[in-house]
Amino acid sequence: MTQILKAKQVVEQGIEELSKKCNQLKKWGITPYMKVLLVGENPASQIYTRNKKRYIEKLGAKCDIIHLPDSLSESDFIFEVGKMVSDQAVHGCFVQLPLPDQLSHIDVGELIPPSKDVDGFHQNNLIGVLNGDCGEKVLLSCTPKGILTLLRHYNIEVAGKHVVIIGRSMIVGKPLAMLLTNHHATVTICHSKTQNLEKITSQADIIIAAIGRAKMIGVKHLSSSGNQVIVDVGMNQDENGKLCGDVDFAAVSERVQAITPVPGGVGPMTILSLAENLFQAAREQFEQQEINP
Ligand code: NDP
């Protein structure tokens, strides 16, 4: 029977562990503190930031959202980010994307210092992964980190496996490929110009879809073995406006060994990774202060 790789149990365990870590950090006089910069009135962004704040606070940590107007100028934006990152009390921060048009050209990943970059977007963190780090020294990109945590929880080995990732974005596909390589997987990255996608995916042990196209991956992308594992990163709306993944779950789920659901799969893992990164950042900053007071 197909195993459904739900995040719920993993997240519950993660919350328990992080709550304990929070108590420990508080004994040392540190309350992990995250700040989020939200520009404009995008309803989805408002929900995401509010959810992240609730999540962080549930762990006993602190989170503030700096909500700024849609019409914010570039210079004011840079000033606000500067203020946020230089706040000594803040251990981790990020800018909620997307930004309004007049700010959308800004590479926000480079504005947050790597030690506070809880999204794991800064080039120093990415270069660390390129150099073989699996999150020991650097802050990992949240979605790739969450996928690895989920697979580990379900004892799905990646070492020696052929993993086909569809999507080459800087927030999912590329950092995930590097991280999986560090974990000894053999990785193929596909994208919109890839030819014979179905042939490539049918040769995979694990298929990871990070495309942004509702239900694009179907039975024709699978091998006939029934042994493949499917990770669906996509968050799209179906024809009825319901949240769905990049994989046609109804068609595919009976023909594979294991599959992540949408919702309830990769999405919650991404938020857990964000919280883990905040705690890692808080601890590392505390240790740095102990070494260099
Ligand atoms: P991007 O749009 O940045 O990247 C999409 C990738 O898919 C690109 O590399 C693109 O190729 C590729 N692609 C598009 N069409 C095809 C096709 N027909 N065949 C093969 N490849 C194709 O998206 P993101 O990486 O930001 O996000 C991907 C999805 O994951 C979205 O649905 C997003 O909402 C979701 N997401 C979910 C998260 C979670 O926590 N669950 C977190 C982050 C994202 P090319 O490079 O050639 O254009």
Side-chain angles (χ1 to χ4, degrees):
M1 213 175 84
T2 307
Q3 187 176 28
I4 309 299
L5 308 174
K6 292 183 187 167
K8 192 169 183 283
Q9 204 189 21
V10 198
V11 168
E12 282 169 3
Q13 271 181 21
I15 288 176
E16 206 181 308
E17 278 164 31
L18 288 176
S19 301
K20 279 187 201 149
K21 274 189 190 163
C22 197
N23 288 336
Q24 183 59 52
L25 286 166
K26 281 180 175 171
K27 280 186 197 151
W28 297 341
I30 319 156
T31 301
Y33 183 17
M34 184 165 87
K35 264 193 183 175
V36 186
L37 205 113
L38 170 67
V39 186
E41 304 303 322
N42 181 319
S45 295
Q46 291 191 42
I47 294 170
Y48 291 149
T49 47
R50 212 180 306 134
N51 287 348
K52 286 169 189 170
K53 178 176 163 68
R54 267 199 220 121
Y55 200 95
I56 295 296
E57 287 174 346
K58 198 162 132 188
L59 302 169
K62 204 176 149 193
C63 178
D64 283 326
I65 301 171
I66 309 158
H67 194 172
L68 298 164
D70 211 21
S71 57
L72 193 73
S73 69
E74 183 167 343
S75 56
D76 285 348
F77 173 74
I78 302 286
F79 175 76
E80 290 293 342
V81 176
K83 220 167 61 177
M84 173 172 79
V85 302
S86 56
D87 184 339
Q88 295 287 327
V90 170
H91 303 104
C93 43
F94 69 93
V95 175
Q96 181 66 46
L97 299 176
L99 286 168
D101 287 350
Q102 77 277 12
L103 306 173
S104 61
H105 62 283
I106 301 170
D107 184 358
V108 293
E110 296 311 303
L111 296 177
I112 314 276
S115 61
K116 295 189 179 186
D117 168 38
V118 282
D119 263 338
F121 291 166
H122 192 282
Q123 59 173 323
N124 288 18
N125 285 322
L126 292 170
I127 289 169
V129 183
L130 198 57
N131 279 330
D133 197 305
C134 289
E136 297 85 5
K137 292 197 189 119
V138 301
L139 296 171
L140 296 175
S141 294
C142 294
T143 304
K145 177 181 170 125
I147 291 170
L148 262 296
T149 308
L150 189 68
L151 293 175
R152 199 178 307 122
H153 175 87
Y154 284 102
N155 293 320
I156 294 171
E157 185 60 76
V158 297
K161 297 291 167 64
H162 181 204
V163 183
V164 172
I165 303 170
I166 315 157
R168 56 176 166 181
S169 73
M170 284 303 290
I171 64 166
V172 189
K174 284 179 184 164
L176 178 60
M178 290 191 284
L179 190 59
L180 283 163
T181 307
N182 295 350
H183 283 276
H184 313 298
T186 303
V187 180
T188 303
I189 306 184
C190 301
H191 45 77
S192 66
K193 306 290 183 290
T194 297
Q195 293 181 4
N196 298 323
L197 180 65
E198 292 145 35
K199 190 169 173 208
I200 300 168
T201 53
S202 68
Q203 291 165 357
D205 297 305
I206 301 173
I207 302 173
I208 305 183
I211 312 164
R213 290 183 183 241
K215 303 181 188 176
M216 191 189 109
I217 302 302
V219 173
K220 65 182 180 184
H221 295 91
L222 305 180
S223 73
S224 54
S225 69
N227 289 333
Q228 290 176 299
V229 173
I230 314 288
V231 176
D232 191 353
V233 182
M235 291 204 307
N236 317 291
Q237 286 193 340
D238 70 9
E239 55 284 1
N240 303 315
K242 257 182 73 183
L243 181 63
C244 74
D246 291 338
V247 179
D248 184 350
F249 186 90
V252 163
S253 57
E254 293 299 310
R255 293 167 183 258
V256 294
Q257 183 194 312
I259 184 167
T260 63
V262 177
V266 175
M269 294 307 301
T270 299
I271 307 187
L272 176 64
S273 302
L274 182 80
E276 287 172 344
N277 279 352
L278 172 66
F279 280 63
Q280 184 178 336
R283 195 189 166 109
E284 277 167 14
Q285 285 162 47
F286 171 73
E287 285 170 356
Q288 277 304 318
Q289 275 165 18
E290 292 289 289
I291 298 164
N292 303 311

